[in-house]
Amino acid sequence: MSCCGPSRRQVLGLLAAAAMPVAWASPARAQPGSLVVTELEVVTVTEQSAVFTWTTRGPDAAPVEADSEVWIGPADGSGLRQVYGDSRPTAFHYAEVTGLEPGRAYRFETRSAGIPAAPAVNVATRQPNTPESLGVFTTLVPPPGRLLRTLALSNDIHLGEEVSGIITAGLPPGFRQEPGLAPYPEIMLAALLDDMRRPDRAVDHLLLAGDLTAEATPEQVGGVHNRLANWGAAGRDWFAARGNHDRPHLGSDYASCTPYLDHDDCWGDSFSARQQLVSHEVGELRLIALDTTELDIPGGTLDRSQLDELRGLLTADPDRPTLVFGHHPVTAESGWSNLAGPSFILNAANAAELQSIYRSAPGVFLHHSGHTHRNRRTRPDLPIDVEFLEVAAAKEYPGGYTLLRLYEGGYMANFYKTRTAEARRWSTRSRGEYFGLLPEYTLGTTADRNHAVLRDLSGVSAS
């Protein structure tokens, strides 16, 4: 069952331009003269670090294992020096370099078997101004003041899904997990939660903006809730909003769950009731989860009671630093730029009212959404100082989350891919979705993925 795609005409219009078959097999060891070092991406750039990923393949495009190296030097200097080396063979390379200086340009090469990596044959990383094409990136300058809290923004896990990349009516051909390996949503969720506890990410809270399940069966809802509960406490360590895949359903598979009109709501039995706003206060920071789901269509809505409750909360305390998250994007720019069009996001009337509410609440600084499976910042439709940020799916390429580091003088957003061996393997496999065009749509620009915003967040406590 799927409620989440554009029309056949839209699909064919996007995909008719290219078809890129990708060979796939168990990785072999590199042989002299046989290695293609490709799919270079400068995924993450912070004030003092950068993350690079790339793939090594044979002439037949099958994965081939090799070593990993990163060479870096100041862009205004001469020569590169090796700053990262890993002799362990892999076809799915992930290298994180630390100790860089804020606001400085660096030249770089990533290498396997001594061969420099090149970006894939796609526009996303081969445009003239990209770090991948220039061989240069510039570190961010962090906002002033102390680091107060670190939030992780994530969405679109689709636990229980078996085929990834189908948009509508079996098109385009979907991708399945390799035989003998664990289901890919379980791998990607485990990798996400693994990253959340690593000291180099130092995450205080995880925010999940919907589509945690494939179709919200009792098993899927229970499975994702149990995994999150084993990781941390709901309402303290993690916070979740419902996505359209998590909506109430029809059918006998859902009969054991709480009735909702003529549907049954399994999500509501473990998380929160449909069209219910949930507000949390973490110190002086306010987190508001919205349920933007319709019953049987992919687009988004907010009912009157939820809008009124939001208006009341924000009017009563308009200056409190506030982050709002919900599954469906909000802005007109998101509507015309996403693959499925304006009907795929929050309906226009609700979107206009939501942004009008934000205009009267200067404490709201960011609205996080998922649903489009891409990294994208979009402009608000009203002159309001709120960032609208879509975060790429956790469950498929590019497969990750955004860290939001809150400082007294603003915040810094950085997208990270998850990095377990199994996650890197599936992310590379699933980048072949949409006939190989998935990176064009979902990766986003360097600035979509990595940016700093100056803003007074001194009211957010550090503990």
Side-chain angles (χ1 to χ4, degrees), residues 4 42 46 75 78 84 102 127 132 148 153-154 159 161 176 196 199 221 245 267 271 286 296 299 317 332 336 427 463:
C4 306
V42 185
T46 77
S78 60
Y84 178 93
Q127 295 184 84
E132 295 86 355
L148 302 173
L153 312 180
S154 183
L159 192 77
E161 185 178 88
R176 293 181 178 272
M196 297 301 95
V221 172
H245 281 268
W267 170 273
F271 291 90
R286 179 167 50 196
D296 294 310
D317 195 0
W336 61 254
S427 289
S463 61

Side-chain angles (χ1 to χ4, degrees), residues 25-51:
S26 296
R29 292 294 180 93
Q31 300 297 319
S34 68
L35 198 64
V36 178
V37 187
T38 185
E39 297 170 358
L40 170 66
E41 292 172 0
V42 185
V43 182
T44 312
V45 180
T46 77
E47 81 282 17
Q48 60 181 4
S49 66
V51 177

